[in-house]
Amino acid sequence: MKVVVIGGTGLIGSKLVGKLNEQGHEAIAASPNTGVNTLTGEGLAEVLEGASVVVDVSNSPSWEDDAVLNFFRTSTANLLKAEAEAGVTHHVALSVVGTDRLQESGYFRAKQAQEDLIRASGMPYSIVHATQFFEFIKGIADISTEGDTVRLSPAKIQPIYSDDVAAAVGRTAVGAPVNGVVEIAGPDVFQLDELIRKALAAKNDPRTVVTDPKAPYSGAQLDENTLLPGPDADIAETKLSDWLTQQ
């Protein structure tokens, strides 16, 4: 089948395109780099011609509250309209475990708006909720750093390798629409502060991690289980320890 991957040149998108093509599907990477712009609609009609599935793994270039909300609202609305006109039969979107519990954050309010548009569209859909990627652990540390101190909540987190995310999104894309949410997570549960402490130590990063239950996560306060998936989540195989060794 022809699968168009919006955000297909990014971290998850490029891996997803490769996996789908290896399986014999026609996977097309669509992004501003390839002449497809979901904000303006440029190139959408052309790339969606003959497509059965659209997978949206795109992300906003800006995380400022108004900009990220505008990105997800505009791009999702343009995409769903173009899909309906092209006869696409399955819309798949990558989102985040805990999105509905992180609404203090402008980013997660924008992701919720994206999900709401998909649910209301009438298009058969699947939303994949992933936990935080291993690759973004350093980014969590960076945005939580003041001077040489990293302040982080002891909330639990179950991070996942991007390869495993791409594989799960690919399985969802070629399956029947679930018209709901599929959750995916890594195999191990950590405390967020302990996770970052472990990752920084593996990189010989001298920053000190301080445990602070009130430390925000992307602007939102965390309870113990805010970032954890439910009991029916698909659990990936790659362990953080193995990934860190490979780095």
Side-chain angles (χ1 to χ4, degrees):
M1 62 177 72
K2 179 178 175 180
V3 182
V4 175
V5 181
I6 305 296
T9 57
L11 174 66
I12 301 298
S14 56
K15 294 182 178 194
L16 175 58
V17 168
K19 289 178 188 294
L20 289 172
N21 282 327
E22 284 169 12
Q23 294 164 17
H25 301 288
E26 182 192 359
I28 307 295
S31 71
N33 295 345
T34 68
V36 180
N37 190 321
T38 53
L39 279 178
T40 64
E42 177 193 359
L44 270 181
E46 293 80 4
V47 79
L48 293 183
E49 190 174 337
S52 301
V53 182
V54 170
V55 183
D56 186 2
V57 295
S58 64
N59 212 342
S60 174
S62 168
W63 282 36
E64 188 275 322
D65 284 4
D66 289 342
V68 72
L69 182 60
N70 177 67
F71 174 85
F72 281 116
R73 276 186 174 161
T74 304
S75 63
T76 302
N78 286 342
L79 196 49
L80 290 165
K81 180 175 182 290
E83 287 172 29
E85 291 169 353
V88 171
T89 55
H90 189 186
H91 179 96
V92 180
L94 179 60
S95 193
V96 188
V97 164
T99 289
D100 60 335
R101 302 187 291 271
L102 291 161
Q103 293 298 292
E104 288 176 275
S105 161
Y107 181 80
F108 289 104
R109 287 195 298 275
K111 290 299 288 181
Q112 187 65 56
Q114 177 191 27
E115 292 187 24
D116 291 345
L117 282 169
I118 294 165
R119 289 188 178 94
S121 69
M123 171 73 66
Y125 73 92
S126 303
I127 296 171
V128 179
H129 273 188
T131 53
Q132 187 59 267
F133 309 158
F134 293 167
E135 287 87 349
F136 293 162
I137 289 172
K138 181 182 181 296
I140 295 173
D142 291 347
I143 64 172
S144 306
T145 297
E146 292 179 9
D148 295 324
T149 301
V150 188
R151 291 192 177 278
L152 289 160
S153 163
K156 292 177 179 175
I157 189 168
Q158 199 167 336
I160 187 170
Y161 180 30
S162 62
D163 251 36
D164 292 334
V165 175
V169 173
R171 288 193 300 272
T172 303
V174 300
V178 300
N179 294 313
V181 171
V182 176
E183 288 192 317
I184 56 173
D188 300 313
V189 178
F190 303 90
Q191 287 185 191
L192 180 58
D193 56 336
E194 197 53 47
L195 170 67
I196 303 303
R197 202 172 279 124
K198 183 188 296 281
L200 293 182
K203 294 277 192 183
N204 297 312
D205 190 311
R207 286 178 285 181
T208 301
V209 177
V210 173
T211 305
D212 179 358
K214 295 190 180 302
Y217 180 86
S218 195
Q221 294 291 310
L222 298 178
D223 294 328
E224 183 182 20
N225 297 322
T226 302
L227 302 177
L228 291 183
D232 297 327
D234 290 338
I235 304 302
E237 292 185 359
T238 309
K239 298 174 73 69
L240 176 70
S241 56
D242 294 335
W243 181 79
L244 285 172
T245 301
Q246 291 165 7
Q247 301 309 296

